[in-house]
Amino acid sequence: DIVLTQAPLSVSVTPGESASISCRSSKSLLSSKGITSLYWYLQKPGKSPQLLIYRMSNLASGVPDRFSGSGSETDFTLKISKVETEDVGVYYCAQFLEYPLTFGSGTKLEIK
Amino acid sequence: EVQLKESGPGLVQPSQTLSLTCTVSGFSLTDYSVHWVRQPPGKGLEWMGVMWSGGSTAYNLVLKSRLSISRDTSKSQVFLKMNSLQTEDTAIYYCTRHYYSVLFDYWGQGVMVTVSS
C-alpha cells in the first residue's frame, strides 16, 4: 500500500499568518497520463471531511483561494495563507493512484 | 441539491453483520461513483470500498473477505454489508461521491456504529 506521511502532527497559527502542511508519499503519485493523484481534505470539529484540493493543485469548488496545493511526484504541500479561525480542524492528504486509496494520518491546525 | 445520507443501526453485537444504506439525491448513481470511508473515534480515515458508476466494485483488501457493496439505482441507494464485526469496527461510517478527477466533493453526515454486546 502507498503510505502517506504528514508533518507536522499539529500546528498552531496566529490568525492572518500562513501555515504549511507537508505530505510525503512512499511512491510517486504521478500517473502514466501525467496526473498527480493527490488530494487534500479538511475535517472541521464534529463534521464530515470536505474537499479542498484535487489532483495536487486544483482548488475545489467553493474553497477560498487562501488554500493552495503544490508538490512533486512524492512530496506535497498544502499552504494556507492568511489563516482564519474557521480553518481549524484536521487536514488529511489522500492518494488514489492505486488501490487501496489511502489517507495520511492528519495534521491538526489550531489557532493561537 | 446534492445530498448523501447514511442510515443503519447504531449498535451491533460482536460477530454480527452490519448493514448500512447510503441514500443519495441531486445526482445519479450511474454518473457518480460512491465510496465508503470509516473513522474510528478519535482516529483517522480509512477507505473501505467503492461502487463504481458502471456497477463494478472494489474493496480494501484488509476488509474484502468481510465486505460487500451493492446498489439499487432505482432507489438511489448504495448498500454496505460487513460481517463478523468486532469492537475495532466501531467507527463513524461515511459515504461520499466521486466523479472523474473530483474525489469526495460531497460527503454524508456519517453514521456512528458501535460494536458491543
Side-chain angles (χ1 to χ4, degrees), chain B residues 45-114:
Chain B
L45 303 166
E46 180 184 32
W47 179 75
M48 302 181 70
V50 56
M51 168 59 74
W52 291 109
S53 56
S56 61
T57 54
Y59 303 103
N60 192 328
L61 289 181
V62 298
L63 300 172
K64 186 175 182 180
S65 63
R66 301 194 289 139
L67 183 62
S68 174
I69 298 173
S70 60
R71 72 180 182 180
D72 184 334
T73 55
S74 68
K75 295 183 178 180
S76 294
Q77 293 179 323
V78 179
F79 310 104
L80 177 148
K81 287 195 175 183
M82 189 162 69
N83 58 32
S84 305
L85 254 63
Q86 301 301 321
T87 54
E88 51 266 32
D89 294 313
T90 293
I92 299 173
Y93 287 74
Y94 296 100
C95 59
T96 176
R97 76 171 193 176
H98 173 193
Y99 184 76
Y100 288 101
S101 63
V102 185
L103 182 69
F104 306 167
D105 61 338
Y106 283 87
W107 296 65
Q109 84 278 14
V111 58
M112 181 66 202
V113 175
T114 301

Side-chain angles (χ1 to χ4, degrees), chain A residues 39 41 43 47-49 51 54-55 92 96 99-101 103, chain B residues 39 43-45 47 52 58 94 101-104 107-109:
Chain A
Y39 303 81
Y41 300 89
Q43 186 173 31
K47 301 294 186 183
S48 304
L51 176 66
Y54 63 97
R55 290 188 174 180
Y92 294 96
F96 202 22
Y99 295 117
L101 186 156
F103 292 91
Chain B
Q39 184 172 37
K43 296 189 176 181
L45 303 166
W47 179 75
W52 291 109
Y94 296 100
S101 63
V102 185
L103 182 69
F104 306 167
W107 296 65
Q109 84 278 14

